[in-house]
Amino acid sequence: MTVARDRDLRIARVTLTPVLVADPPLLNTQGVHQPYTPRLIVEVTTEDGVTGLGETYGDTKYLELARPLAELLPGHRVDDQGGLFTLADRLAVDTARVDGALDVGGLRGVQTAGKLRLSVVSAFEVACLDALGRTLGLPVHALLGGKVRDTVDYSAYLFYRWAAHPEGVTAEPDDWGAALDPAGIVAQARRFTERYGFRSFKLKGGVFPPDEEITAVRALADAFPGHPLRLDPNGAWSVPTSLKVARELEDVLEYLEDPTLGTAAMAEVAAGTSVPLATNMCVTTFAEIKEAFTRDAVQVVLSDHHYWGGLRHTQQLAAVCRAFGVGVSMHSNTHLGISLAAMTHVAATVPGPLHACDSHYPWQTEDVLTERLTFHDGAVRVSDAPGLGVDLDRDRLAFLHERWARDDGTLRDRDDAAAMRVVEPGWRVPTMPRW
């Protein structure tokens, strides 16, 4: 291990690069993914010239907080990740504009100013850990205490989807085709299995009436007997509907994710079914844990290092879950390889059983890395290279940033409902519960 001098650890500059990344027409209860989604790439460079990478959401409200935080970082040490939160707390956030707003892109419930800060700090924390690891010659998982597994399992993330974005909308084509019925979902799952070796499947629900989605899950169970299956309608169902679906699928579901909104409703569903309930919507901060766990409202928490505030907070969450006998997995939003690498490093350090993590990455055709991360047998191998073990492709980064710079502002804030209105002009975000 390299011995670091003070100048090796002090930040000289921070570079923020917002990008727009191609996204396919994946459907959810809010609408459809826009043809491009915003992400923010964070580079932290030390006085000795070592650069660490981070990534988070790229919507305007995240940029507005990331920019002043970046200005505070020169002179800060990359091994002082805790101090990042102190710096972030010094920044004012327009809570009237943020609190109570639904984050459509993450479908994670009510977003507060505090959650926004954590989502931004997470990218800086990862970048600092990457820079520290590169400086010391250690992988990020070693900085987090060491890995307990050499590979991290991921689940195939299945979506109802259109064959293409609407005619006349600028978009990047793909060859996946439409999946709007059980046969289409099974075909999609087969392709994921053949290409990446996934052994578990998660269907994004809340798109069609529950009976149709029950049929799709049944079709998956028939096509892939014994494989873990999950269904996530993002809170689109009432308690009675959630219980009905749970009863009809209790013999095939690994867990049912956020069938209904709010801890109280989740607790009511949990009391009426043997199917484990998972969440990335009603437990998104440490303050929300007590009620959810004491009411036995959830049996699996899907962490996300972006909105929990980074990799160390993710480890803390996993420890709390273990103390309460609650399972752990990881939530995914549309992300690039930097985030996938960070997810993999922290997941490698979580002791005990870990449900296969979610990842949109197989859907993404673009990246900012010199080499894409790969899935073998449904898993990503944990890198032992210094830092995250990934390198930035500056030409690709510049290309994706130029796309962002040319945009008139239409795509700089992800809005699945607005994308749906291109096809259905009267579309509005459905009132929940939808069914």
Side-chain angles (χ1 to χ4, degrees), residues 278-298:
T279 187
N280 74 278
M281 296 180 72
C282 67
V283 178
T284 59
T285 66
F286 286 100
E288 294 167 329
I289 289 176
K290 181 178 179 180
E291 180 186 9
F293 286 12
T294 56
R295 298 184 67 169
D296 198 26
V298 297

Side-chain angles (χ1 to χ4, degrees), residues 31-32 162 415-429:
V32 64
W162 297 332
D415 188 342
D416 293 355
M420 180 64 85
R421 282 193 288 272
V422 175
V423 174
E424 298 184 33
W427 176 267
R428 296 184 183 277
V429 174

Side-chain angles (χ1 to χ4, degrees), residues 140-180:
V140 165
H141 64 74
L143 301 178
L144 297 173
K147 62 182 179 179
V148 297
R149 54 181 61 84
D150 293 322
T151 61
V152 173
D153 289 337
Y154 285 85
S155 180
Y157 208 154
L158 310 179
F159 280 83
Y160 291 105
R161 56 160 291 163
W162 297 332
H165 287 282
E167 186 176 352
V169 172
T170 301
E172 307 304 312
D174 66 38
D175 61 354
W176 280 85
L180 297 170

Side-chain angles (χ1 to χ4, degrees), residues 350-398:
V350 174
L354 178 70
H355 294 272
C357 303
D358 296 343
S359 178
H360 285 69
Y361 193 65
W363 287 112
Q364 310 313 133
T365 57
E366 299 180 323
D367 206 343
V368 295
L369 301 182
T370 55
E371 185 176 352
R372 285 181 64 88
L373 277 68
T374 57
F375 297 86
H376 297 288
D377 295 327
V380 174
R381 178 158 290 280
V382 183
S383 172
D384 290 320
L388 292 173
V390 298
D391 294 307
L392 198 60
D393 184 329
R394 296 203 171 274
D395 290 338
R396 290 300 302 169
L397 179 67

